[in-house]
Amino acid sequence: MHHHEKAAFLKFFITYFVSVALLILVAGFFYFNQMQNHMLRMEEFSLIKYARHIKMGDPIKGFHKEYHHRYITHKNTRIDIRNFSSVGNEFTKIIPMNHNGMYLQVFKSKKEFNQKLFNLKIKIISIQVLLLLLFAFLSYKLAKNALKPLQESIATLDKFAKDLIHDLNTPVTSIKLNMKLLEKNPDLAENKIVQRLNKSVHNISELHENLNILLQEETFQMQNINLCPLVHEVVEMQQDLYSDIHFEVVCSNCKAKINANAMKQILQNIISNACKYNSKNGYVKIYQKDNALYIEDSGKGIKEPNKIFERSYSAEHSTGIGLDIVRRLAMAMNITISVRTSTEGSCFILKF
């Protein structure tokens, strides 16, 4: 599954599941409150029934020991007939007697009520957990089904792109070979047209390699390797193209879990841009510090550093695809890239 597919899957799954989960939790909360109020009313009715037996002189053997009562007097005090309260571990209710100022106060232990309330909580939580598991499974299935059209479209585009890149291999290789033959001709070696043509061929080759590596994103084989030899290899390639740039590399042992081909392409794109947009007789410094690799140049800086990794962003004489591919390859290898820039140059930081 591609990164964008995973992101779309997670967004759909989380949105649907969280919405349903909130409904289940809110419904459970209101149901619990409703049942609790109902149980409290039943406790009050049981106290009224117990008090009626006492007032009528009926036997109270049918009531548990958790019931008891007492007589109290409240002279010149009016007690609300709807009174019902909890005192300590008991419920209590005060009921007026026929005698003036005499009241009957009845009590009932909360032990049975608390046990019923606890059982109710366990029942509601159990049902909620089962419903959440059920809807988590349904959310997963719905998210997978919703992604099917997207996956089919991506598979079709990937196949088309792979076929296209495969068909481009021959003409690109032919152009590069013929370019090398032209460079061997002493009469054309210093020809500016040939030099410009050589750089254009190099750009085409880079674009071809970018697309080729990008299509292998889902089949990356990650290995814990020292990337410094890759840095030196890329720098040697760029030195041949940009003889006026001074390169300084301080990298001996920088190990990270990466895919060598993808990492090489990231370095190729960043270092190539550092050379391409550098000042005349400028420099490119590459050095390691802690668990990071720094690529610094002496160019004129980047106007919009926050947008450089967007596919729609492109600087002068740039397609804008290079750094977008850098971002995608870095994401696939869990590499964090940040940029510092000023009018005196830029610095790309790759943290592993």
Side-chain angles (χ1 to χ4, degrees):
M1 192 180 285
H2 293 77
H3 288 285
H4 46 272
E5 289 178 335
K6 288 178 182 177
F9 173 83
L10 286 173
K11 283 180 182 177
F12 184 92
F13 175 84
I14 290 171
T15 302
Y16 182 81
F17 178 71
V18 168
S19 301
V20 174
L22 285 173
L23 286 174
I24 291 172
L25 294 174
V26 170
F29 173 77
F30 282 112
Y31 176 74
F32 175 77
N33 281 341
Q34 184 181 12
M35 290 301 297
Q36 186 181 34
N37 291 333
H38 173 71
M39 289 167 63
L40 287 170
R41 286 196 298 270
M42 294 303 294
E43 293 295 325
E44 184 180 6
F45 291 151
S46 70
L47 287 174
I48 293 172
K49 185 177 179 182
Y50 175 69
R52 185 181 297 118
H53 275 70
I54 294 170
K55 290 176 72 175
M56 299 296 293
D58 294 336
I60 55 174
K61 292 181 180 180
F63 292 91
H64 299 285
K65 292 181 179 179
E66 57 188 12
Y67 290 89
H68 64 95
H69 64 279
R70 68 177 179 177
Y71 295 97
I72 58 175
T73 56
H74 280 276
K75 293 183 177 180
N76 303 322
T77 303
R78 183 179 178 184
I79 296 179
D80 190 348
I81 192 66
R82 294 170 298 180
N83 73 88
F84 174 73
S85 60
S86 172
V87 178
N89 294 322
E90 293 180 312
F91 292 115
T92 182
K93 186 174 180 66
I94 299 173
I95 297 171
M97 298 292 287
N98 294 330
H99 307 291
N100 186 29
M102 183 68 69
Y103 292 88
L104 173 66
Q105 185 174 17
V106 289
F107 300 88
K108 182 185 178 184
S109 171
K110 292 171 65 177
K111 184 178 180 181
E112 184 182 357
F113 172 82
N114 289 335
Q115 184 60 47
K116 287 181 179 178
L117 196 65
F118 176 76
N119 292 339
L120 177 65
K121 286 180 182 177
I122 296 299
K123 180 181 176 182
I124 291 174
I125 290 171
S126 300
I127 292 171
Q128 286 181 324
V129 169
L130 289 173
L131 286 174
L132 289 173
L133 290 174
L134 174 63
F135 280 102
F137 176 75
L138 291 175
S139 300
Y140 174 81
K141 285 294 184 182
L142 287 171
K144 291 284 285 185
N145 289 334
L147 281 180
K148 273 188 179 179
L150 175 64
Q151 289 173 330
E152 290 171 359
S153 299
I154 290 172
T156 303
L157 288 172
D158 280 353
K159 186 178 183 305
F160 172 76
K162 286 176 182 177
D163 292 342
L164 182 63
I165 290 171
H166 182 268
D167 291 342
L168 283 173
N169 280 334
T170 303
V172 168
T173 305
S174 177
I175 291 170
K176 289 169 72 176
L177 288 172
N178 282 286
M179 196 66 235
K180 287 182 179 180
L181 290 173
L182 286 174
E183 287 176 337
K184 288 180 180 180
N185 189 328
D187 297 330
L188 298 174
E190 300 299 323
N191 190 296
K192 290 185 178 180
I193 296 175
V194 173
Q195 290 176 355
R196 286 197 297 268
L197 184 61
N198 187 29
K199 286 193 176 181
S200 297
V201 169
H202 178 72
N203 290 338
I204 293 170
S205 178
E206 272 191 353
L207 181 60
H208 180 261
E209 288 172 8
N210 277 327
L211 294 173
N212 198 25
I213 291 292
L214 190 60
L215 287 173
Q216 299 171 19
E217 180 184 351
E218 296 303 313
T219 57
F220 280 169
Q221 294 296 321
M222 306 285 280
Q223 293 179 320
N224 194 24
I225 61 173
N226 181 11
L227 58 89
C228 290
L230 295 176
V231 173
H232 288 286
E233 184 182 344
V234 172
V235 167
E236 285 177 11
M237 292 170 60
Q238 295 300 319
Q239 279 178 325
D240 294 336
L241 292 167
Y242 300 95
S243 56
D244 60 325
I245 300 294
H246 172 68
F247 290 88
E248 183 180 334
V249 181
V250 181
C251 184
S252 58
N253 187 23
C254 184
K255 288 190 175 182
K257 193 172 184 180
I258 55 172
N259 175 272
N261 291 332
M263 190 66 223
K264 183 179 176 182
Q265 202 60 45
I266 288 175
L267 293 170
Q268 179 81 14
N269 289 353
I270 295 176
I271 296 172
S272 175
N273 281 350
C275 297
K276 196 181 299 181
Y277 303 109
N278 214 320
S279 57
K280 190 176 181 181
N281 298 319
Y283 66 82
V284 174
K285 294 180 181 178
I286 304 164
Y287 55 93
Q288 65 180 95
K289 187 178 179 182
D290 297 328
N291 202 32
L293 186 71
Y294 293 74
I295 302 172
E296 188 178 313
D297 65 63
S298 57
K300 57 184 180 181
I302 302 167
K303 291 180 180 178
E304 298 175 289
N306 296 329
K307 295 183 178 180
I308 58 172
F309 294 110
E310 295 178 7
R311 177 63 188 90
S312 57
Y313 179 84
S314 62
E316 50 186 309
H317 311 300
S318 168
T319 60
I321 195 173
L323 290 179
D324 177 61
I325 290 174
V326 165
R327 176 186 62 82
R328 292 178 62 176
L329 294 177
M331 282 178 60
M333 295 186 288
N334 297 317
I335 299 172
T336 304
I337 301 182
S338 57
V339 183
R340 295 199 306 246
T341 186
S342 68
T343 55
E344 297 178 356
S346 303
C347 182
F348 282 75
I349 305 164
L350 284 67
K351 292 183 179 179
F352 304 95

